[in-house]
Amino acid sequence: MTPDEMISAIPIPCIHVSLQGRVDALNEKAVELFGAAIRGRHYITAFRQPALLDRIEEAMAHGKSVTGRYIGRQAGRDTSYDVSVAPVMEGGQPAGYMMVFLDITHQEEAGERRSEFVANVSHELRTPLTAINGFIETLRGPAKDDPEARDQFLAIMEREAQRMIRLVEDLLLLTRVEDVERMRPSEPVDIAALVRSVASGLTPQAKAKQARVILDGCEGEKPAPGDSDQLTQLLTNLIENAIKYGRDGGQVTVRLEQLENAVELRGPGLKISVSDDGEGIAERHLGRLTERFYRVDSHRSRGVGGTGLGLAIVKHIVSRHRGRLRIESQLGQGSTFSVFLPYN
Ligand code: ADP
């Protein structure tokens, strides 16, 4: 069997390099990564990345296995590979070297996302903590005997502390939702009753903005398979956002529709849409709204007590229900957040 035949069945890029350092066999996956033209070339001109070349040289000099790293570029984005270079032994002597490329792009991206997330959380917590710390110092020093300033600072400290509590609660919630994301709920819940109950629970927030919350199609029973606590959370986040980012004295409409055949679901399901008549969201933000801590206007979001996690939580809840989320908005015309929940 030739080296080409032997490696043809391996589903990841594999390349055989002769003792003279020439590429003498490569499988289909390696052709996709490097192109067929590297066949017959010396490994130095085939791979070109000094760090990897050093590792190959080391393997060949000592007849041993080494690992290295290769940074590729496929479909316009960087890809990372763990590369193993190992001697192929024949009669106790290396007869060539097999290079195997393991794609670790996804792990690297997950690692980067984790670090970014930790940096974001730290930043979100540091801001209120710094504020509280500053006020403690002021209360101990300059404002020690000033009862008016004390009341004012204590009120701010309370607000900042509540913000941290909300942030930590949202983080815990996000983790819990992610934990069960693979377990799809099967018990039917009455979505109409959930909407009525969430809307009535948000009456104080609506009153504070003099907003009206209108329910459309939410009478009677409208069941769909779901997790009642999570759907309550989803409705709370969407309706609360519509109130928060809607107009003062504006109108929020929550509409329920049963669909025989929703294109979004490729089948029957329930559509929940929450619309406001606020200032809307520019198109370039729409695709990123469900990212953790993504805000159109950070100052405004913090001002209304936002954590920047509400829509990320919504996205995960929708995904657990195998549903779809659609966000439509136009500047000056308000926004509509629609959730499609499948019946089966
Ligand atoms: P936040 O806690 O900041 O409200 P969310 O994840 O719920 O976080 O929302 C992310 C961002 O999306 C908000 O900061 C806001 O800029 C924007 N947004 C969400 N809902 C609306 C809405 N109904 N109208 C306008 N902007 C909205």
Side-chain angles (χ1 to χ4, degrees):
M1 200 186 306
T2 66
D4 264 319
E5 288 165 342
M6 197 145 62
I7 62 179
S8 67
I10 301 176
I12 57 175
C14 285
I15 292 174
H16 187 263
V17 177
S18 69
L19 285 181
Q20 290 70 40
R22 303 231 164 246
V23 171
D24 60 8
L26 69 168
N27 66 1
E28 203 44 50
K29 289 283 173 192
V31 172
E32 279 171 29
L33 188 58
F34 295 100
I38 66 163
R39 183 184 292 276
R41 282 216 215 137
H42 195 272
Y43 71 82
I44 294 178
T45 58
F47 303 120
R48 291 167 188 226
Q49 293 182 6
L52 179 60
L53 299 181
D54 285 351
R55 307 300 286 152
I56 302 173
E57 204 171 297
E58 190 183 335
M60 292 190 137
H62 302 99
K64 64 171 193 179
S65 301
V66 302
T67 54
R69 181 60 65 88
Y70 181 79
I71 309 293
R73 193 153 178 86
Q74 276 180 308
R77 63 186 199 115
D78 282 343
T79 46
S80 297
Y81 291 85
D82 258 345
V83 187
S84 139
V85 187
V88 180
M89 305 300 279
E90 224 173 72
Q93 288 294 321
Y97 288 82
M98 188 66 83
M99 299 180 63
V100 180
F101 294 75
L102 191 64
D103 189 345
I104 54 159
T105 314
H106 285 305
Q107 281 114 292
E108 290 213 328
E109 283 173 348
E112 280 161 20
R113 273 201 300 276
R114 226 174 3 250
S115 316
E116 192 187 333
F117 180 61
V118 171
N120 278 333
V121 172
S122 311
H123 176 76
E124 295 288 335
L125 285 171
R126 194 173 52 201
T127 314
L129 277 173
T130 310
I132 291 176
N133 211 22
F135 286 122
I136 292 174
E137 274 169 28
T138 317
L139 285 173
R140 280 214 174 115
K144 203 166 167 184
D145 303 312
D146 181 346
E148 212 172 293
R150 192 182 53 210
D151 285 350
Q152 191 195 345
F153 293 162
L154 281 173
I156 303 175
M157 287 163 76
E158 185 181 24
R159 214 173 53 223
E160 295 296 322
Q162 277 168 352
R163 196 144 77 82
M164 284 193 286
I165 293 172
R166 263 201 312 278
L167 179 63
V168 172
E169 279 172 352
D170 274 359
L171 285 170
L172 288 173
L173 195 70
L174 199 54
T175 314
R176 276 204 300 273
V177 177
E178 278 180 335
D179 278 350
V180 294
E181 200 160 331
R182 286 169 195 283
M183 287 182 275
R184 187 179 174 185
S186 55
E187 291 295 308
V189 281
D190 179 5
I191 310 288
L194 288 189
V195 173
R196 292 193 298 265
S197 136
V198 170
S200 106
L202 289 170
T203 309
Q205 281 91 324
K207 271 221 172 97
K209 288 263 300 188
Q210 289 161 345
R212 281 201 311 151
V213 179
I214 314 266
L215 304 189
D216 180 2
C218 303
E219 52 292 321
E221 281 187 25
K222 294 224 163 61
D227 176 316
S228 152
D229 286 347
Q230 287 190 354
L231 292 175
T232 301
Q233 188 67 50
L234 173 146
L235 290 165
T236 307
N237 291 3
L238 291 181
I239 302 175
E240 202 173 20
N241 274 353
I243 299 172
K244 275 192 319 198
Y245 300 108
R247 256 187 325 120
D248 285 349
Q251 183 170 308
V252 171
T253 309
V254 187
R255 181 170 294 130
L256 274 190
E257 289 167 79
Q258 283 165 316
L259 302 175
E260 292 275 315
N261 192 1
V263 190
E264 287 79 0
L265 301 169
R266 298 209 177 106
L270 196 65
K271 178 180 177 187
I272 312 166
S273 49
V274 180
S275 313
D276 63 65
D277 50 8
E279 60 195 51
I281 307 160
E283 167 127 33
R284 68 196 145 94
H285 297 293
L286 292 182
R288 300 196 59 191
L289 289 184
T290 57
E291 285 176 23
R292 293 156 189 210
F293 300 116
Y294 189 85
R295 297 162 167 118
V296 173
D297 176 345
S298 309
H299 190 70
R300 178 153 184 214
S301 156
R302 293 206 175 90
V304 291
T307 60
L309 294 174
L311 290 179
I313 292 171
V314 166
K315 183 179 94 174
H316 282 283
I317 294 176
V318 170
S319 141
R320 183 185 172 206
H321 286 75
R322 309 294 183 264
R324 298 288 295 274
L325 172 68
R326 201 170 74 196
I327 308 176
E328 292 156 302
S329 188
Q330 259 182 349
L331 277 180
Q333 313 238 328
S335 314
T336 298
F337 289 73
S338 307
V339 172
F340 296 82
L341 295 177
Y343 280 145
N344 44 40

